[in-house]
Amino acid sequence: MPTPERPSSPGPPGQPAPPWDVARLYLAAGLVMGGIWAWNHGAPLWEHAVKLLVVLFVGTPLLHLARGRRAARRPPRRLRLSFVRLAAAKVALVALALGASWLLEGSMSDPDLAVAAGLTTVITLLGPFLHRHLLVRAPAAAR
């Protein structure tokens, strides 16, 4: 017996995801990014940057592609994430993490773990508040 499909976001079609869904998404992203930074502690800063940017610019588009295919079966939304704004936010976040790691390098025995905790905290707490600035009107909704 097939199970009924549950809507991913309750509410009228075309509305943005509820705040608790966005908060869960940013918590997961913060844990992944902080975990990657902590996993590679002791590596040179350029390695941290390359690994994190690969995850951000390869993994994220693949997730968006999968999400887009799933969403193609539903009514179009009025808002979508802007790739340019999202990319700028990611580059700023990696630059902030690199700068913090570089500044803490001489004053702590293991600055990478502190930066990993900072990345997780910043993404988890600030992500949901800044999310609305990453949204733009979908092309179909702009007409």
Side-chain angles (χ1 to χ4, degrees):
M1 172 191 262
T3 56
E5 199 170 310
R6 201 174 82 196
S8 65
S9 62
Q15 295 297 320
W20 61 85
D21 284 349
V22 172
R24 270 193 299 178
L25 177 83
Y26 281 102
L27 172 62
L31 289 172
V32 167
M33 289 179 63
I36 290 170
W37 198 277
W39 182 268
N40 295 304
H41 73 282
L45 288 180
W46 68 268
E47 266 187 53
H48 280 293
V50 168
K51 288 177 183 177
L52 207 53
L53 288 172
V54 165
V55 167
L56 293 174
F57 287 108
V58 173
T60 305
L62 290 176
L63 289 174
H64 281 290
L65 179 65
R67 184 173 172 249
R69 287 185 178 187
R70 194 180 84 204
R73 292 177 265 154
R74 288 189 230 127
R77 293 184 175 225
R78 288 186 289 185
L79 299 173
R80 65 174 175 83
L81 282 174
S82 166
F83 180 75
V84 174
R85 291 180 185 182
L86 191 60
K90 289 175 183 182
V91 168
L93 188 65
V94 170
L96 180 69
L98 287 172
S101 186
W102 181 71
L103 288 173
L104 293 173
E105 203 167 79
S107 63
M108 296 180 77
S109 61
D110 207 356
D112 291 330
L113 297 179
V115 171
L119 269 172
T120 302
T121 304
V122 166
I123 294 168
T124 302
L125 297 179
L126 293 182
F129 293 111
L130 298 176
H131 182 76
R132 64 186 170 103
H133 297 292
L134 301 175
L135 298 174
V136 294
R137 289 200 175 280
R143 293 180 214 160

